[in-house]
């Protein structure tokens, strides 16, 4: 069966690859599913562990709760340090075969995840006793909970390394054929989300109840090691294996490339800001991408833990909600893939994304009974359409960004326009999240303390603001931004600025760009400094799991 003109069937897609490519894709998919399952177990367990330990400190030592302020800081720093990891890894994938670097990076990530297990066991922690209540944390180790922050930052560095390499290794597997790359990325993303959904549910329903969230991610180092072993058997061509021949060696050379990577990263952010803010054609991307991404991440990392712990009394159930969110992402990405020839621009999907955010308005007025797991499934079901809208908007918007910016690459001679814009948009999201997450967490904690704290504090008033009001503002801003581009007034615009984005850049004739709004050449003059490599900054921005979807 085929979905729309020009879309190949699943069987046609698989026949596009030769035998060696099929083998490598199968191995890579197996490894990525192991990696994603372990990642969900780790991230879900760590968030639940941090939530419980900070509450446990209040129970033991008294004082005011600071649980969600610290949890917000923990997740914000982890995401910020992903940028650091991607910068550190960029020179290595220039020097060594990408699959070898990926294997080592995921092993390093596994070592970092094991540190908290070792520390907990060394300070008296053990597996959750059978029959222990959800508020019984006596089996935890006695280490300082704030010690999680630097460890989780180092995990962020390793996470950034792995996420970067995942973005570039498909080219080593299937070469530079854009059709093969699109189909491989689509297949990988589907299996990635399947594994992520299963990992989230398994963590909430089996691992944490059986082992406790201090030990439930014991499978993560094991699964990471299995993923690295699988990826080691990917067979690259001689050209790919010898890509680094003649490259200078030595630690000093590595550090010099690191500094150059940092310079290119900062230059990309500046250049991206210039492109975004000096042209109507691109300024709407800031709310459409960065604000929408922030809303999605805050839904999973901010609101889900709040509802699980303060409403339902069991922090582990936040992973059930995240599982529902992951499944919504899978359906959203699949919908865009199937109906790509019916919806030609990101606008309908972005408007759907914004409207779905309003679903959270039921939370401030919802008073579920505590300690009933079916209530967590209700939240998961409501998170599904929210994440469905976000994933559909993200996939289509990322594809539009890639296609439209490819047409102005020749106007930006020192850095890649695509890399610059994505660097700026992602960095803007990081800054917003880093400021908003701990600040909102502190506000929620203040409301909780003011209404009774551990003796029965109520956060419904805080949820009214951090979920309902905040997401309404995001809805209005994102929807308003979708009417900025020329030609976007229609419900389903056939094109923006009259551009044809369904053909390769190399095949465009000069007249194809005549109807688009020109970029002011003078806007780029302040940062023209010579012949700087035109692609390194593309590889040093960890675009979160979202860019695994961009080639759909």
């Amino acid at each position: 069966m085929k979905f729309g003109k020009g879309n190949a069937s699943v069987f046609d897609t698989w026949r596009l690859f030769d035998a060696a490519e099929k083998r490598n894709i199968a191995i890579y998919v197996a490894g990525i599913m192991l990696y994603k399952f372990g990642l969900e177990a780790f991230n879900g367990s760590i968030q639940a562990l941090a939530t419980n330990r900070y509450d446990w400190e209040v129970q033991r030592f008294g004082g005011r709760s600071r649980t969600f302020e610290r949890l917000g800081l923990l997740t914000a720093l982890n995401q910020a340090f992903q940028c650091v990891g991607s910068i550190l890894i960029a020179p290595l994938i220039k020097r060594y075969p990408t699959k070898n670097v990926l294997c080592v990076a995921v092993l390093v990530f596994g070592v970092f995840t094991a540190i908290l297990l070792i520390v907990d066991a060394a300070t008296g922690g053990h597996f959750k006793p059978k029959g222990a209540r959800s508020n019984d944390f006596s089996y935890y180790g006695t280490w300082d909970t704030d010690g999680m922050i630097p460890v989780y930052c180092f995990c962020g560095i390793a996470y950034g390394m792995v996420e970067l390499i995942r973005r570039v290794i498909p080219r080593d597997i299937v070469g530079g054929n854009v059709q093969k790359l699109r189909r491989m990325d689509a297949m990988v993303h589907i299996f990635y989300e399947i594994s992520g959904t299963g990992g989230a549910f398994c963590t909430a329903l089996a691992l944490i109840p059986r082992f406790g969230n201090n030990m439930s991610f014991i499978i993560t180092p094991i699964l990471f090691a299995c993923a690295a072993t699988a990826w080691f058997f990917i067979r690259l061509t001689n050209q790919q294996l010898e890509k680094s021949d003649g490259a200078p060696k030595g630690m000093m050379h590595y550090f010099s490339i690191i500094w150059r990577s940092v310079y290119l990263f900062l230059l990309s952010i500046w250049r991206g800001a210039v492109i975004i803010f000096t042209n109507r054609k691109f300024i709407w991307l800031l709310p459409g991408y960065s604000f929408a991404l922030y809303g999605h991440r805050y839904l999973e990392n901010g609101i889900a833990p709040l509802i699980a712990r303060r409403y339902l009394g069991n922090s582990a159930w936040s992973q059930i909600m995240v599982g529902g969110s992951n499944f919504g992402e899978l359906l959203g990405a699949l919908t865009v893939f199937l109906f790509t020839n019916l919806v030609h621009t990101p606008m309908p999907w972005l408007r759907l994304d914004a409207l779905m955010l309003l679903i959270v308005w039921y939370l401030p007025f919802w008073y579920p009974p505590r300690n009933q797991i079916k209530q967590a499934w209700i939240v998961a079901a409501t998170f599904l359409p929210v994440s469905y809208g976000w994933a559909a908007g993200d996939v289509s918007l990322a594809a539009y960004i890639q296609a439209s910016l490819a047409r102005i690459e020749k106007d930006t001679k020192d850095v890649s326009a695509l890399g610059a814009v994505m660097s700026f948009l992602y960095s803007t999201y990081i800054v917003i999240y880093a400021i908003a997450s701990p600040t909102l967490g502190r506000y929620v904690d203040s409301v909780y303390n003011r209404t009774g704290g551990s003796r029965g504090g109520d956060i419904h008033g805080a949820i009214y603001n951090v979920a309902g009001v905040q997401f309404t503002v995001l809805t209005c801003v994102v929807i308003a931004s979708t009417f900025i581009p020329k030609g976007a007034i229609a419900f389903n615009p056939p094109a923006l600025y009259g551009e044809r984005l369904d053909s390769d850049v190399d095949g465009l004739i000069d007249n194809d760009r005549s109807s688009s709004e020109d970029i002011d050449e003078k806007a780029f003059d302040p940062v023209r400094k010579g012949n700087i490599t035109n692609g390194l900054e593309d590889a040093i921005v960890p675009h979160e799991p979202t860019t695994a979807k961009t080639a759909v």
Side-chain angles (χ1 to χ4, degrees), residues 404-474:
S404 60
L405 289 173
R407 285 152 173 78
I408 66 167
E409 287 291 348
K410 70 177 184 179
D411 296 326
T412 55
K413 301 182 186 302
D414 46 3
V415 294
S416 163
L418 175 60
V421 168
M422 294 307 297
S423 296
F424 174 74
L425 293 177
Y426 186 78
S427 299
T428 301
Y429 148 71
I430 288 292
V431 171
I432 294 173
Y433 193 93
I435 295 174
S437 184
T439 302
L440 295 177
R442 181 184 305 173
Y443 165 68
V444 173
D445 288 336
S446 69
V447 172
Y448 178 70
N449 291 322
R450 189 169 61 248
T451 56
S454 58
R455 296 185 301 275
D458 181 26
I459 65 165
H460 281 79
I463 293 296
Y464 182 93
N465 291 316
V466 302
V469 174
Q470 180 184 207
F471 278 30
T472 299
V473 172
L474 289 174

Side-chain angles (χ1 to χ4, degrees), residues 206-415:
L207 295 176
I208 292 180
R210 174 62 181 86
F211 300 115
N213 43 38
N214 62 323
M215 293 290 177
S216 54
F217 55 99
I218 193 171
I219 68 169
T220 298
I222 300 172
L223 290 176
F224 282 4
C226 292
T229 302
W231 286 329
F232 181 78
F233 289 99
I234 294 176
R235 295 175 183 172
L236 303 181
T237 65
N238 291 334
Q239 181 181 2
Q240 294 158 350
L241 288 171
E242 297 171 1
K243 66 179 180 179
S244 60
D245 282 358
K249 301 179 181 179
M251 187 60 67
M252 292 304 297
H253 176 70
Y254 177 77
F255 285 123
S256 68
I257 298 180
I258 288 293
W259 284 114
R260 185 172 182 80
S261 299
V262 173
Y263 167 73
L264 286 173
F265 181 65
L266 296 176
L267 181 61
S268 293
I269 294 175
W270 164 251
R271 173 58 59 80
V274 171
I275 295 175
I276 292 289
F277 288 113
T278 59
N279 199 278
R280 173 183 172 184
K281 182 178 179 180
F282 300 116
I283 194 170
W284 63 277
L285 296 177
L286 179 61
Y289 183 90
S290 299
F291 290 11
L293 177 57
Y294 161 76
H296 176 71
R297 294 300 169 216
Y298 190 76
L299 179 76
E300 292 186 347
N301 299 330
I303 294 177
L306 275 172
I307 300 302
R309 182 62 185 159
R310 296 290 183 245
Y311 275 29
L312 306 181
N314 193 323
S315 60
W317 291 346
S318 66
Q319 280 303 98
I320 296 178
M321 306 171 196
V322 172
S325 177
N326 286 344
F327 188 62
E329 289 184 48
L330 172 60
L331 295 179
L334 186 60
T335 299
V336 175
F337 177 67
L338 296 179
F339 296 100
T340 183
N341 290 302
L342 297 178
V343 183
H344 302 282
T345 71
M347 298 311 172
W349 300 119
L350 285 178
R351 291 163 187 164
L352 176 65
D353 174 17
L355 291 174
M356 290 297 101
L357 292 176
L358 298 178
I359 291 176
V360 301
W361 264 113
Y362 81 94
L363 292 173
F365 310 101
W366 186 49
Y367 290 82
R370 293 173 67 86
N371 299 312
Q372 290 189 9
I373 193 172
K374 67 179 181 180
Q375 306 300 322
W377 286 103
I378 292 175
V379 181
T382 60
F383 279 13
L384 189 153
V386 178
S387 293
Y388 172 90
W390 173 79
D394 180 76
V395 170
S396 56
L397 181 59
Y400 172 81
I401 293 173
Q402 289 181 338
S404 60
L405 289 173
R407 285 152 173 78
I408 66 167
E409 287 291 348
K410 70 177 184 179
D411 296 326
T412 55
K413 301 182 186 302
D414 46 3
V415 294

Side-chain angles (χ1 to χ4, degrees), residues 145-185:
T145 306
D146 283 339
M148 294 181 66
I149 295 177
V151 175
Y152 205 46
C153 287
F154 282 111
C155 289
I157 295 176
Y159 184 28
M161 292 179 174
V162 176
E163 289 300 306
L164 163 69
I165 301 171
R166 289 203 310 107
R167 304 305 186 268
V168 299
I169 197 172
R171 186 172 55 187
D172 283 354
I173 293 177
V174 298
N177 186 308
V178 67
Q179 295 296 329
K180 290 183 177 182
L181 285 171
R182 286 176 178 172
R183 285 160 173 77
M184 178 182 171
D185 283 347

